[in-house]
Amino acid sequence: HVQLVESGGGSVQAGGSLRLSCVGSGDTIGRYCIGWFRQIPDKEREGVAVLDSVGSINYADSVRGRFTISKDDARNTLYLQMNSLKPEDTAMYYCAAQPGLKVVNNRKMYVKAENFDYWGQGTQVTVS
C-alpha cells in the first residue's frame, strides 16, 4: 500500500498563500482516491478536498474558490494550493488515500475521514 509524507506547511499572514505537497511511495497515488483533511485540537478531522482515480474533485464549501487540489503523476505527488488564507484555516493538514473509492465530480465534499485507510503524519498550517 501507499505511504504518504506531507510537507509545505508553515506560518503565514491572512490573505497569503501556501502550497502543501504529499509524496507517495510504495504505490502509485493515481490508483487511489486521495485527498486533504484538516484537524484542530478537540475537533473531528474534516475534509478539505479530494481527487479520485478518474479525476473527480470535491471541495469543502469553506475552501471552494480559494484552494486547488492537483496531482503530478510523474512525481507521485498530490498538492493543495491554498490562496486567500484565513485564520480559520489554521489546522494540522493530513493527506489520505483509499483504493477504489470514487466521488461524484464537482460535489461538496462528502467523504469522511473514516472512509480512508492510509494517512500521512500531517503538516501544520498557521494563519494569523
Side-chain angles (χ1 to χ4, degrees), residues 7-77:
S7 63
S11 296
V12 64
Q13 291 190 335
S17 298
L18 284 173
R19 188 177 78 158
L20 305 184
S21 299
C22 171
V23 179
S25 62
D27 203 350
T28 303
I29 64 169
R31 297 179 57 241
Y32 294 74
C33 181
I34 188 161
W36 293 95
F37 289 77
R38 64 187 181 186
Q39 189 171 25
I40 58 176
D42 299 324
K43 290 290 184 71
E44 288 188 1
R45 197 166 289 190
E46 68 164 348
V48 175
V50 66
L51 169 64
D52 75 10
S53 60
V54 297
S56 296
I57 293 175
N58 292 169
Y59 291 101
D61 286 344
S62 58
V63 308
R64 186 182 295 274
R66 300 188 298 122
F67 292 9
T68 302
I69 190 171
S70 63
K71 66 182 174 74
D72 184 333
D73 289 333
R75 297 180 183 274
N76 212 33
T77 300

Side-chain angles (χ1 to χ4, degrees), residues 101-119:
L101 180 63
K102 298 290 195 297
V103 297
V104 177
N105 191 41
N106 202 29
R107 289 279 299 273
K108 170 184 173 180
M109 183 152 178
Y110 57 90
V111 291
K112 306 296 184 185
E114 53 261 38
N115 297 130
F116 291 79
D117 288 333
Y118 305 110
W119 292 85

Side-chain angles (χ1 to χ4, degrees), residues 75-94:
R75 297 180 183 274
N76 212 33
T77 300
L78 180 75
Y79 299 103
L80 186 69
Q81 178 67 44
M82 305 187 296
N83 299 329
S84 302
L85 282 161
K86 304 175 181 180
E88 52 263 43
D89 295 317
T90 295
M92 184 71 79
Y93 282 71
Y94 297 90

